[in-house]
Amino acid sequence: MRKYYIIAGEASGDLHGGNLVAAIKQLQPESQIRGWGGDKMQAAGMELIKHYRELAFMGFVEVVMNLKTIMNNLRFCKEDILAFKPDVLVLVDYPGFNLRIAKWAREQGMKVVYYISPQVWAWKEGRVKMMKRCIDKMLVILPFEKAYYQNKWNWAVDYVGHPLIEEIDRKKKAGSNLVIQDAAGAPVTKPVIALLPGSRKQEIEKKLPVMLEVSRTFPDYQFVVAQAPAVEDSFYQQFTVQYPNVSIVNNRTYDVLLQATAALVTSGTATLETALFGVPEVVCYKGSEISYQIAKRVISIKYISLVNLIMDKPVVKELIQGEMNTTNIIAELKALLFDEQRKAALKKDYAELHRILASEGDASRKAAAIITAFSASAAG
């Protein structure tokens, strides 16, 4: 019986980790899987030891302020891995935590697979030397990453395709039974603008108030906040209560996107999810000023959204820090709603994005096949 310890530290990692756990269980039904993640990984058959909602710290300042908690989590995690004795340790994204675990695991002589590469091509490239030394197999999900590692670092990694493709295509086929309600509890008949302000309180506090203010300019649309599962209702309600055409939907982001005419989306995985649902979007980023100033000096990429990075051109508008204000968002949202030429160009770019990411087939199954084969070879 194979034993796998899997660590994911945020909502997107739980989504991809859940599909990975399910795919491993299909290949090896008797395998024992334990780890850190969320509800989706647990539902797929993993014994959940710690939920990602206890781990979510973002930004340079926020990490420093919570350093003691992070160090305690690292110590507990190492002890749990040693007690479990996995055949393979599988790390899903979440580099600030998982790269430390990878380095430690190598010192313990463990076999390490990293699924969903840290974005070293954006910043902290120096980490690659340590990664190459400590990670037995790197599985990447963005098409340009395979060439990046091979050409720049002489490291042969496996490109498995993007796991969002299978997840979103499945959801599109299934459709949605979500009935969005207004403040009075009546079903909404207006066209929907989705608001995706992030999954952590720190980022929601920065972005959601600006997004909500935009709703005043579009009274004929219903603005729907996609609530993160790990954040309580009352946290959102303190921001939304004064806006008559705003609703909140808990833990059903994909259902909201299926019904959306356009979206305001925080940077990160959500930008790609929105594009793959075919929803015109404005990418919004605003962090603490100190964190932003530090990031601006160390990040070396042209774009912050995955859509633009993969397509290598400005497919969607990015409004960053000071540019993320109501005036700019309103102007861009009007273009997405009413400019037919703009809408047609975006539709064409979205179709090409889907084609590129779907070229490798089912990413979760491919990743699971590589991991289980590696586990067998390591044992042999």
Side-chain angles (χ1 to χ4, degrees):
M1 182 179 68
R2 302 282 94 194
K3 294 170 71 176
Y4 303 95
Y5 200 104
I6 304 180
I7 303 173
E10 51 205 343
S12 60
D14 180 40
L15 174 67
H16 303 321
N19 287 332
L20 179 65
V21 170
I24 291 173
K25 284 287 188 180
Q26 276 191 327
L27 291 171
Q28 295 179 339
E30 300 304 313
S31 62
Q32 191 177 350
I33 304 176
R34 179 182 175 98
W36 296 29
D39 301 339
K40 289 180 170 62
M41 294 171 75
Q42 187 175 33
M46 185 183 84
E47 182 186 2
L48 183 65
I49 303 306
K50 191 175 279 282
H51 201 287
Y52 69 77
R53 70 171 68 97
E54 299 178 50
L55 313 172
F57 305 111
M58 64 173 293
F60 300 94
V61 177
E62 293 83 0
V63 166
V64 171
M65 287 172 62
N66 291 282
L67 204 52
K68 185 177 180 182
T69 301
I70 293 167
M71 297 310 292
N72 286 339
N73 283 335
L74 276 166
R75 185 172 63 252
F76 172 71
C77 184
K78 291 172 184 178
E79 290 170 356
D80 198 54
I81 293 168
L82 286 174
F84 184 62
K85 296 185 174 69
D87 296 294
V88 177
L89 176 64
V90 182
L91 306 173
V92 183
D93 201 1
Y94 198 51
F97 189 91
N98 275 339
L99 287 180
R100 293 186 184 191
I101 292 294
K103 189 175 181 181
W104 167 82
R106 167 57 68 227
E107 293 167 357
Q108 311 305 311
M110 295 181 186
K111 296 297 181 183
V112 179
V113 175
Y114 210 110
Y115 178 45
I116 306 178
S117 168
Q119 295 177 353
V120 287
W121 33 266
W123 71 306
K124 287 192 175 180
E125 278 194 307
R127 293 183 293 182
V128 178
K129 290 179 182 177
M130 180 276 285
M131 288 162 56
K132 190 176 176 183
R133 189 171 65 250
C134 298
I135 296 166
D136 295 287
K137 276 202 170 291
M138 172 67 80
L139 313 183
V140 302
I141 65 171
L142 298 174
F144 59 81
E145 290 178 322
K146 186 174 176 67
Y148 166 80
Y149 280 116
Q150 185 63 60
N151 298 340
K152 191 157 189 176
W153 299 98
N154 192 31
W155 188 7
V157 303
D158 293 282
Y159 172 53
V160 297
H162 205 293
L164 278 179
I165 291 290
E166 71 228 38
E167 186 72 19
I168 290 173
D169 285 355
R170 192 184 304 131
K171 182 60 184 176
K172 282 181 182 174
K173 190 174 181 181
S176 173
N177 62 356
L178 173 66
V179 177
I180 297 170
Q181 297 178 331
D182 63 18
V188 168
T189 56
K190 298 175 182 178
V192 167
I193 306 291
L195 302 183
L196 278 63
S199 59
R200 304 178 183 98
K201 287 184 177 180
Q202 293 139 319
E203 58 184 341
I204 296 165
E205 284 175 329
K206 288 283 184 185
K207 297 161 194 165
L208 185 56
V210 185
M211 293 177 173
L212 290 171
E213 196 59 28
V214 173
S215 70
R216 297 193 192 278
T217 306
F218 299 88
D220 296 332
Y221 290 81
Q222 188 74 14
F223 284 67
V224 180
V225 181
Q227 178 178 338
V231 182
E232 62 274 11
D233 295 359
S234 58
F235 183 79
Y236 291 90
Q237 288 162 356
Q238 65 179 318
F239 301 112
T240 62
V241 65
Q242 59 184 308
Y243 298 96
N245 59 326
V246 172
S247 305
I248 306 172
V249 172
N250 183 19
N251 197 21
R252 295 190 67 175
T253 300
Y254 283 6
D255 290 289
V256 173
L257 287 173
L258 272 174
Q259 299 185 35
T261 304
L264 308 182
V265 187
T266 193
S267 57
T269 305
T271 63
L272 190 55
E273 291 172 312
T274 304
L276 291 174
F277 273 103
V279 180
E281 66 180 304
V282 186
V283 177
C284 303
Y285 176 82
K286 188 186 285 279
S288 75
E289 191 58 31
I290 295 173
S291 292
Y292 172 69
Q293 289 299 332
I294 295 171
K296 197 167 69 167
R297 286 160 175 76
V298 299
I299 292 176
S300 57
I301 50 175
K302 288 188 285 186
Y303 309 108
I304 64 166
S305 72
L306 287 171
V307 177
N308 292 345
L309 282 166
I310 293 165
M311 295 293 286
D312 196 27
K313 65 178 185 178
V315 172
V316 295
K317 183 72 171 180
E318 298 179 351
L319 297 176
I320 304 170
Q321 206 66 4
E323 291 185 349
M324 188 201 154
N325 56 55
T326 53
T327 302
N328 289 343
I329 295 174
I330 288 165
E332 184 61 22
L333 190 52
K334 283 180 178 177
L336 294 178
L337 292 172
F338 309 124
D339 184 337
E340 294 304 321
Q341 192 173 354
R342 178 76 182 279
K343 285 156 73 172
L346 196 57
K347 186 176 181 179
K348 184 179 178 183
D349 284 333
Y350 278 180
E352 176 62 11
L353 175 72
H354 187 284
R355 186 198 66 77
I356 291 169
L357 294 179
S359 61
E360 292 297 314
D362 189 319
S364 299
R365 287 183 186 175
K366 190 168 182 180
I370 292 169
I371 291 166
T372 52
F374 175 66
S375 172
S377 67

